[in-house]
């Protein structure tokens, strides 16, 4: 198999502005070599078995030497791997891409360039600044402020609009060069920091005032826009989204996709994903393997989670079986997400209860359950027992087998903990009772206390959002409140309710 290196631009750092091509490449990557400026949510798009290597590449901070990066690209490509080299912004705009291309060419490695949306173009637009105007800006120039003494400021001072990347450390030099070469001291200037995120800040001033305005502030990463187009600034569509300026802490399984993050980000939210569940194989495959060997004896297969679906069919494949062993077995699932996961294996469920919760499965089951033999692959410990008890009441022959195990991570995520301590979180979402329990346990460890008051005070003024009644019940038991609950017990339903709550 021939390897290939994809030199991919990640855009401005917000996953919403990742290109579709980049999204597909990340989802198929075998090796990911990425820069420090990449949105961490992008890392969740790669397959579970993808090798991820952080090479830094952020101004003023430790990073890998370019020779080492070149070696990594070549080495994995020659091993036949599909390598994604993920660079911030657009890889061909001040991205040192030439060194990597030359190294790949010298090693006869196959490669492809995939553009990203540069902050030079996206940041001004997202904050409402047009770069051109038929009257006052017929052209603009993008430049680096890294070494301003090497640029022709006499020529640059005559250009209508300037967009400067990596220039905040040399801001005073840049301002002086422009004024000394004829630019008006009253010329508008904008510094856009953390564009497209909840932490975005825009500093507006003139060449004459901006140095004093931002004195003592840490501005990186930021871009600088200089020109009269700043006076045309209109309200950004990003800032009018219902969840703009809101930060959502998502408690989730470590291995889950970023689907929920994407739904919330499309409404303008900044999201922090906090792993509150770890999913791993059961302590023994013996019971599941035995059930798979005797599948023909079952009438129904019940699956209540995406994890149950994935572990069941992965084990089926590992035992050398295919879908034909299911024979005439009918499949019931709980929830759209579980049904969608089942469709990845080219199967359609025979029954889905209307309200997306396990309790409803019994009330609406399409057949008399008496003496039906049912296989139920489920979490090994800690799952809800009500479904099993209700099936037994109906005289069904229910065979439970452990298909996977879940547990609490050892430590709270660093980014999530800092955001909670600094009162930067507006909403916390819970999509299962287990995430509530584990979240509480992680806070206990982080605070190093058994005092419930200490934990609850940390959550003051934070909206607690639950996906459904059972999750809400656990919230009331441990956190003593729930501020909103989804009417439709899905991620889409929870997103809709959050938007409604803050509208």
């Amino acid at each position: 198999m021939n390897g290939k290196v994809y030199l991919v631009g990640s855009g401005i750092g917000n996953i919403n502005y990742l290109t579709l091509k980049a999204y597909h490449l990340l989802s198929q990557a075998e090796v990911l070599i990425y820069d420090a400026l990449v949105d961490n949510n992008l890392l969740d798009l790669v397959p579970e078995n993808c090798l991820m290597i952080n090479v830094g590449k952020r101004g003023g901070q430790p990073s890998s030497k370019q020779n080492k990066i070149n070696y990594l690209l070549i080495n994995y490509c020659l091993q036949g791997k599909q390598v994604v080299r993920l660079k911030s912004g657009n890889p061909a705009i001040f991205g040192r891409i030439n060194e990597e291309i030359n190294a790949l060419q010298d090693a006869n490695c196959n490669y492809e360039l995939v553009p990203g949306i540069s902050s030079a173009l996206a940041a001004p637009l997202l904050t409402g600044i047009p770069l051109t105007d038929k009257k006052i800006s017929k052209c603009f120039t993008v430049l680096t402020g890294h070494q301003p003494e090497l640029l022709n400021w006499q020529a640059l001072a005559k250009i209508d609009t300037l967009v400067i990347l990596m220039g905040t450390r040399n801001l005073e030099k840049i301002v002086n060069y422009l004024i000394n070469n004829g630019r008006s001291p009253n010329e508008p200037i904008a510094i856009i920091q953390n564009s497209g995120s909840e932490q975005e800040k825009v500093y507006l001033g003139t060449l004459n005032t901006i140095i004093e305005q931002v004195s003592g502030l840490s501005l990186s990463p930021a871009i600088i826009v200089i020109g009269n187009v700043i006076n045309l600034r209109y309200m950004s569509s990003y800032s009018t989204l219902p969840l703009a300026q809101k930060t959502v802490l998502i408690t989730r399984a470590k291995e889950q996709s970023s689907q929920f993050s994407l739904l919330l980000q499309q409404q303008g939210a900044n999201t922090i994903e906090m792993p509150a569940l770890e999913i791993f194989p059961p302590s023994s495959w013996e019971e599941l393997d035995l059930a798979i060997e005797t599948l023909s004896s079952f009438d129904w297969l019940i699956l209540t989670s995406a994890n149950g679906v994935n572990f069941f069919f992965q084990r089926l494949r590992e035992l050398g079986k295919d879908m034909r062993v299911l024979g005439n077995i009918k499949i019931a699932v709980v929830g759209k997400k579980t049904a969608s996961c089942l469709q990845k294996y080219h199967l359609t469920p025979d029954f889905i209860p209307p309200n997306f919760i396990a309790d409803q499965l019994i009330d609406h089951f399409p057949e008399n359950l008496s003496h039906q033999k049912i296989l139920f692959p489920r979490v090994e410990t800690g799952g809800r027992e009500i479904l099993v008890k209700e099936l037994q009441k109906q005289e069904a022959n229910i065979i439970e087998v452990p298909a996977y195990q879940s547990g609490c991570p050892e430590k709270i995520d660093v980014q999530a903990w800092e955001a909670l301590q600094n009162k930067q979180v507006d909403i916390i979402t819970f999509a299962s009772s287990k995430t509530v329990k584990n979240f509480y346990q992680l806070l206990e460890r982080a605070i190093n206390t058994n005092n419930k008051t200490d934990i609850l005070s940390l959550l003051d003024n934070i909206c607690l959002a639950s996906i459904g009644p059972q999750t809400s019940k656990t919230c009331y038991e441990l956190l003593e409140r729930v501020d909103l609950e989804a009417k439709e017990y899905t991620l889409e339903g929870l997103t809709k309710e959050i938007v409604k709550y803050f509208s």
Side-chain angles (χ1 to χ4, degrees):
M1 176 182 174
N2 294 325
K4 187 172 183 179
V5 176
Y6 296 89
L7 299 136
V8 178
S10 67
I12 63 170
N14 185 320
I15 196 171
N16 283 324
Y17 305 109
L18 184 72
T19 65
L20 192 58
K21 172 85 171 180
Y23 177 90
H24 288 310
L25 289 173
L26 284 169
S27 68
Q28 298 165 13
E30 294 177 291
V31 179
L32 175 67
I33 300 171
Y34 63 99
D35 284 352
L37 285 176
V38 170
D39 182 350
N40 285 334
N41 288 322
L42 302 182
L43 304 182
D44 291 325
L45 300 179
V46 303
E48 186 177 338
N49 60 351
C50 176
L51 174 63
M52 297 192 292
I53 304 172
N54 182 354
V55 293
K57 288 295 179 187
R58 186 165 186 167
Q61 297 184 16
S63 60
S64 299
K65 300 292 186 183
Q66 189 61 52
N67 286 342
K68 180 181 178 182
I69 297 173
N70 296 346
Y71 169 79
L72 291 170
L73 296 174
I74 294 167
N75 182 48
Y76 287 111
C77 182
L78 294 179
Q79 290 182 32
K81 303 293 187 182
Q82 300 298 296
V83 182
V84 173
R85 170 69 174 108
L86 193 62
K87 302 172 78 71
S88 58
N90 185 307
I93 299 180
F94 306 124
R96 300 190 66 177
I97 198 172
N98 292 333
E99 294 97 322
E100 295 174 15
I101 290 176
N102 290 337
L104 292 169
Q105 288 176 337
D106 291 343
N108 293 317
C109 288
N110 193 15
Y111 68 90
E112 182 178 333
L113 302 175
V114 181
I117 303 174
S118 171
S119 61
L121 304 177
L125 182 62
L126 287 174
T127 197
I129 298 173
L131 291 181
T132 62
D133 178 78
K134 64 180 181 180
K135 292 182 179 178
I136 61 175
S137 180
K138 293 182 171 58
C139 64
F140 68 91
T141 291
V142 179
L143 56 140
T144 171
H146 185 55
Q147 294 178 297
E149 62 276 3
L150 301 181
L151 299 175
N152 184 345
W153 289 101
Q154 188 175 7
L156 289 171
K158 297 176 182 177
I159 295 172
D160 294 335
T161 303
L162 300 176
V163 181
I164 305 172
L165 307 182
M166 300 173 286
T168 54
R169 291 188 179 188
N170 292 311
L171 180 61
E172 188 169 358
K173 287 183 181 180
I174 290 168
V175 167
N176 289 334
Y177 279 130
L178 286 170
I179 292 175
N180 291 338
N181 282 278
R183 205 82 169 200
S184 169
N186 295 320
E187 182 95 13
I189 181 172
I191 299 174
I192 306 165
Q193 184 180 21
N194 294 313
S195 174
S197 76
E198 196 268 343
Q199 289 83 26
E200 179 181 284
K201 292 182 179 179
V202 182
Y203 302 93
L204 299 172
T206 65
L207 294 180
N208 200 36
T209 64
I210 194 66
I211 302 301
E212 184 176 347
Q213 283 178 242
V214 300
S215 177
L217 298 178
S218 176
L219 297 173
S220 182
I223 75 160
I224 303 166
V225 182
I226 299 169
N228 288 318
V229 287
I230 295 169
N231 292 329
L232 302 176
R233 187 184 182 210
Y234 45 79
M235 181 173 288
S236 166
S237 60
Y238 183 84
S239 66
T240 63
L241 292 172
L243 298 182
Q245 308 304 315
K246 301 296 181 187
T247 295
V248 184
L249 181 66
I250 301 171
T251 60
R252 64 178 184 91
K254 187 176 181 180
E255 295 80 6
Q256 283 178 344
S257 70
S258 295
Q259 176 196 1
F260 193 25
S261 281
L262 289 171
L263 289 171
L264 292 165
Q265 288 169 5
Q266 286 167 2
Q267 300 298 326
N270 177 52
T271 59
I272 300 171
E273 296 187 12
M274 173 184 163
L277 275 177
E278 289 184 339
I279 308 298
F280 44 91
S283 58
S284 170
W285 291 111
E286 184 177 351
E287 292 181 59
L288 180 57
D289 290 354
L290 180 60
I292 289 173
E293 291 298 333
T294 59
L295 272 174
S296 59
S297 67
F298 290 93
D299 301 301
W300 282 88
L301 170 65
I302 291 180
L303 299 161
T304 59
S305 71
N307 289 320
V309 172
N310 288 327
F311 275 90
F312 177 81
F313 285 102
Q314 286 170 16
R315 192 60 183 168
L316 203 69
R317 185 169 57 246
E318 287 168 6
L319 293 175
K321 313 287 186 181
D322 60 29
M323 301 306 167
R324 288 174 293 182
V325 299
L326 292 171
N328 295 319
I329 299 175
K330 286 169 275 193
I331 303 175
V333 304
V334 175
K336 287 181 179 179
K337 184 178 179 182
T338 310
S340 175
C341 188
L342 187 67
Q343 288 174 353
K344 293 193 301 183
Y345 299 93
H346 309 291
L347 292 170
T348 301
D350 297 280
F351 172 58
I352 310 176
N355 292 327
F356 316 122
I357 54 176
D359 302 5
Q360 294 291 313
L361 187 142
I362 306 296
D363 296 339
H364 296 87
F365 207 79
E367 295 181 359
N368 188 330
L369 283 163
S370 178
H371 306 300
Q372 297 268 8
K373 189 175 182 182
I374 298 172
L375 177 61
F376 181 21
R378 57 174 294 182
V379 65
E380 184 169 341
T381 58
R384 293 179 57 227
E385 303 300 325
I386 188 168
L387 176 59
V388 174
K389 290 178 180 178
E390 290 300 320
L391 286 168
Q392 290 171 341
K393 281 184 183 179
Q394 300 293 325
E395 298 184 345
N397 180 13
I398 176 77
I399 308 298
E400 303 171 73
V401 294
Y404 65 97
Q405 181 62 289
S406 67
C408 182
E410 289 187 7
K411 295 181 179 179
I412 194 169
D413 178 80
V414 173
Q415 183 186 9
W417 179 232
E418 288 180 353
L420 285 168
Q421 287 180 299
N422 295 327
K423 301 295 182 182
Q424 295 172 340
V425 176
D426 301 292
I427 310 155
I428 302 175
T429 64
F430 300 103
S432 71
S433 289
K434 273 199 170 181
T435 57
V436 181
K437 294 174 183 176
N438 290 351
F439 174 77
Y440 187 90
Q441 187 175 332
L442 287 166
L443 287 187
E444 276 187 317
R445 293 176 188 170
I447 302 174
N448 193 24
T449 181
N450 292 318
N451 188 341
K452 196 171 190 177
T453 302
D454 293 339
I455 295 173
L456 297 183
S457 64
L458 190 69
L459 307 180
D460 284 347
N461 302 316
I462 298 177
C463 171
L464 304 183
S466 161
I467 200 168
Q470 292 302 320
T471 303
S472 294
K473 181 181 177 183
T474 309
C475 283
Y476 281 114
E477 290 171 356
L478 292 175
L479 306 177
E480 299 187 355
R481 65 182 170 93
V482 169
D483 297 295
L484 66 89
E485 178 182 295
K487 292 183 172 61
E488 179 182 303
Y489 313 137
T490 64
L491 297 178
E492 291 81 2
L494 184 53
T495 302
K496 187 185 300 183
E497 203 62 31
I498 291 171
V499 168
K500 181 180 176 182
Y501 183 88
F502 284 97
S503 295

